[in-house]
Amino acid sequence: MFRQVRQDIRVIFERDPAAKSILEVILCYPGLHAIVMHRLAHWLYQRKLVILPRMVSQFTRFLTGIEIHPGAKIGQGFFIDHGTGVVIGETAEVGDDVTIYQGVTLGGTGKEKGKRHPTIGNNVVIGTGAKILGNITIGDNSYIGANAVVVRDVPPNSTVVGVPGRITKQDGKKIDTTLDHIHVLDPLKQSLEELEERIDKLERKGQ
């Protein structure tokens, strides 16, 4: 447990330039508090307890504003930046070295049974306010833009933007976790801008 906490602290220093000291991170980072408490709740959940892990989860939600169901499987190197409004459902699976921002939901789409929440691959970044819904898979090294709503599988090495989410491949290159998550290419916007440019050229020719 202590080794995992040390790793969590190291990850925060790697990904958050605002982190100034270990004491500050331990006392003031709700994302750290949420993941540490989730490990306890998940350990209890795996032992077929019902009420106690949910109580731990709800207490953590009260303290941090972050709700992670005890059944969710979270990998190593998980970083929640700020975190208010983050919701991670019961059957969600999150890979290693994943970063998510405030307001993210890994949720279901109805009352279906069994696996009903997303599976997130390794080295994925999920931007502020993004919603990933249903039993879908987000491939490794992918980037989900701020406020995107994703309801279909995303292949590895992709960027997703918009509502509903639209995929932009980035030449198969690994996406850096330091990517500015408000400046992401929107393929629909790009197409509209290209059309406007062509219309302007045609109008100038007609004059």
Side-chain angles (χ1 to χ4, degrees), residues 45-170:
Y45 182 88
Q46 289 179 314
R47 277 140 190 85
K48 308 300 182 183
L49 300 173
V50 179
I51 300 299
L52 188 56
R54 289 303 304 271
M55 289 177 63
V56 172
S57 173
Q58 292 303 301
F59 178 68
T60 304
R61 177 190 179 190
F62 172 76
L63 289 178
T64 66
I66 298 168
E67 181 176 351
I68 307 176
H69 192 284
K73 298 177 181 178
I74 308 293
Q76 301 297 313
F78 184 53
F79 175 50
I80 303 174
D81 194 4
H82 296 290
T84 301
V86 166
V87 177
I88 300 177
E90 179 182 13
T91 61
E93 299 179 30
V94 179
D96 295 334
D97 301 316
V98 171
T99 298
I100 68 177
Y101 292 84
Q102 64 269 24
V104 166
T105 298
L106 307 183
T109 56
K111 296 182 179 180
E112 66 273 21
K113 302 292 184 180
K115 183 73 167 73
R116 60 191 185 278
H117 297 100
T119 297
I120 310 299
N122 299 324
N123 194 45
V124 172
V125 178
I126 306 176
T128 300
K131 313 301 177 189
I132 304 176
L133 306 175
N135 181 18
I136 62 175
T137 299
I138 307 301
D140 294 348
N141 307 319
S142 290
Y143 186 87
I144 309 301
N147 294 316
V149 177
V150 186
V151 294
R152 295 179 180 174
D153 290 344
V154 173
N157 307 307
S158 298
T159 294
V160 177
V161 298
V163 181
R166 298 178 297 275
I167 296 172
T168 300
K169 293 286 183 69
Q170 292 198 329

Side-chain angles (χ1 to χ4, degrees), residues 5 9 12-13 21-30 32-33 36:
V5 173
I9 293 172
I12 289 171
F13 277 103
S21 71
I22 292 176
L23 183 61
E24 177 197 17
V25 168
I26 292 172
L27 295 177
C28 303
Y29 273 66
L32 175 65
H33 305 155
V36 170

